[in-house]
Amino acid sequence: MKHLLTNPAYKMACDQFDAVADFLNMPEDVRDRTKLPKRLVTVAIPVRLDSGKVKVFEGHRVQHHLTLGPTKGGLRFHPGVELGEVAALAMWMSWKCALADLPYGGAKGGVAVDPRKCSIGELERITRRYTSEMIPFIGPQTDVMAPDMGTNEQTMAWIMDTYSHQVGHAVPSIVTGKPVSIGGSLGRKEATGRGVAFLVNRAIDLLKLPNDSRVIVQGFGNVGSYAAIGLAKYGARIIGVSDVSGGVHNPKGLDLDALQEHVTRTGSITGFPGGDKISNEELLLQPCDVLIPAAMDRVITEKNAGKINCRILAEAANGPTTVEADAILRQRPEIFVIPDILCNSGGVIVSYFEWVQDLQSFFWAETEIFDKLYRILGRTLDTVLKEARKHNIDNRTAALSIGIQKVVNGKTIRGLFP
Ligand code: NAD
């Protein structure tokens, strides 16, 4: 699988793994077995466009390991989707699920398409054809999808419908992050962002930062917007946000209700009158207490890691910090990093709750869901910090080593077949 290494995200995930394997003194024969993805599926997705022409899109699904249960992970629609990137995201999902003690391996899927350039009908046809191509490889006990960048509740509803037609009855447990009306879980849509807000608030307390800490959020989609709203509820001041079109900055604080109304009306942050226009790159460098990358991977790089001006770096996106940037951050102990596999794990934790509710056909109240979510997040944060203190290591190495070790333990006790 060396060909995957040409993708920078996959190389980054492997470099992270190798460093942690060294730290754990992992035997050579265990390394590849733990690191390499179990199954990689690439499909051609022929779709009739509204124009009448047929276009073939490329879609992928990577199931990283099947040792502890079905695989679990999002489906991404983005023009830059590549097999290597999907494999990296699947690997991170494995460590994330293990860290939170969820009975899953990691997976990820993606279609190389710009959803903003497609009509709703085209998106539906892409989703349904992708699902039908993937049917031999997915199932409630095999691989369960969820939303990620560029996909949402509607996408999950189409996947569930396509799969259910194939098997002849409704199968809500084939996806999570679907609408509540067809077996989704209360709180799932907000879970990732609210989980980020909960962990950041805990870190603000730990570092004794002020309650009205200044927060900057890159990405104002599902995760970024709910993280911002959640933190504002805890008393924080949101002084900058951005999306793919650029950012807006106001050191006195942004009016989030007005911003949301603007984004809903116009489709982007551009032109919001409540602050100064700023580029995505510049926004990351503005002074703040909490910096939350909640969009793309590899945005904190060796070029800007020495210049970011925050006390907490909360990684809501997957893989936002490169390995080179991480080395710089390790020389900056004043920055408290909440690593991605912990920071954004609220999403997969509530996805797990949704899957359990679907399998039992027994649904929980929202208070019960967030109560359970915050208990798991709080416990996991404590475990990571304890491990970091015990070995004098950074938070990311601590989180990754706990997750990776749990997967190794599962493989070891199950043994090798045949
Ligand atoms: P989304 O599609 O709802 O929102 C993405 C946001 O990022 C949008 O505001 C978009 O305009 C912005 N964006 C895209 N490209 C950008 C760029 N180059 N620069 C700045 N902004 C850009 O996606 P989401 O579900 O909120 O996911 C965001 C991140 O969180 C991804 O890394 C995803 O893998 C991760 N994540 C999502 C979930 C979830 O439950 N949705 C769970 C865990 C992790």
Side-chain angles (χ1 to χ4, degrees), residues 124-137:
E124 177 171 0
R125 293 194 290 281
I126 292 168
T127 305
R128 287 188 183 278
R129 186 63 194 252
Y130 170 83
T131 308
S132 97
E133 299 291 347
M134 287 296 167
I135 277 178
F137 310 102

Side-chain angles (χ1 to χ4, degrees), residues 76 78 89 93 96 108 116 146-151 188-189 191-193 218-225 242-246 269 280-281 293-297 299 316-319 344-348 351:
R76 176 174 288 197
H78 190 274
L89 290 160
M93 280 303 291
K96 189 189 300 181
K108 207 77 179 189
R116 290 172 310 155
D148 191 75
M149 267 182 69
T151 58
R188 171 60 187 91
K189 198 164 58 172
T192 312
Q218 182 191 51
F220 201 64
N222 173 289
V223 179
S225 63
S242 66
D243 65 12
V244 68
S245 69
I269 281 170
N280 255 296
E281 296 71 32
M296 296 295 292
D297 51 80
V299 291
N318 284 309
N344 65 36
S345 62
V348 71
S351 272

Side-chain angles (χ1 to χ4, degrees), residues 203-235:
I204 285 174
D205 282 351
L206 280 170
L207 301 184
K208 300 192 172 28
L209 296 176
N211 271 344
D212 66 342
S213 282
R214 298 157 304 156
V215 179
I216 288 177
V217 187
Q218 182 191 51
F220 201 64
N222 173 289
V223 179
S225 63
Y226 282 114
I229 294 164
L231 277 163
K233 282 197 182 133
Y234 284 117

Side-chain angles (χ1 to χ4, degrees), residues 321-395:
T321 306
T322 65
V323 173
E324 296 76 20
D326 225 10
I328 296 169
L329 292 179
R330 278 198 289 272
Q331 307 304 315
R332 298 191 62 189
E334 76 278 15
I335 298 182
F336 181 93
V337 177
I338 311 179
D340 51 359
I341 65 164
L342 167 61
C343 191
N344 65 36
S345 62
V348 71
I349 294 169
V350 176
S351 272
Y352 166 62
F353 297 162
E354 181 174 331
W355 180 70
V356 168
Q357 291 171 80
D358 287 337
L359 292 176
Q360 299 183 340
S361 298
F362 180 61
F363 291 88
W364 311 345
E366 189 171 323
T367 46
E368 195 178 346
I369 286 157
F370 281 103
D371 202 47
K372 285 187 164 78
L373 170 66
Y374 294 152
R375 244 183 300 143
I376 295 178
L377 287 177
R379 184 184 71 206
T380 311
L381 175 67
D382 291 343
T383 312
V384 168
L385 296 184
K386 198 169 152 201
E387 189 75 359
R389 267 195 307 272
K390 182 171 160 196
H391 298 287
N392 195 21
I393 50 177
D394 59 285
N395 291 348

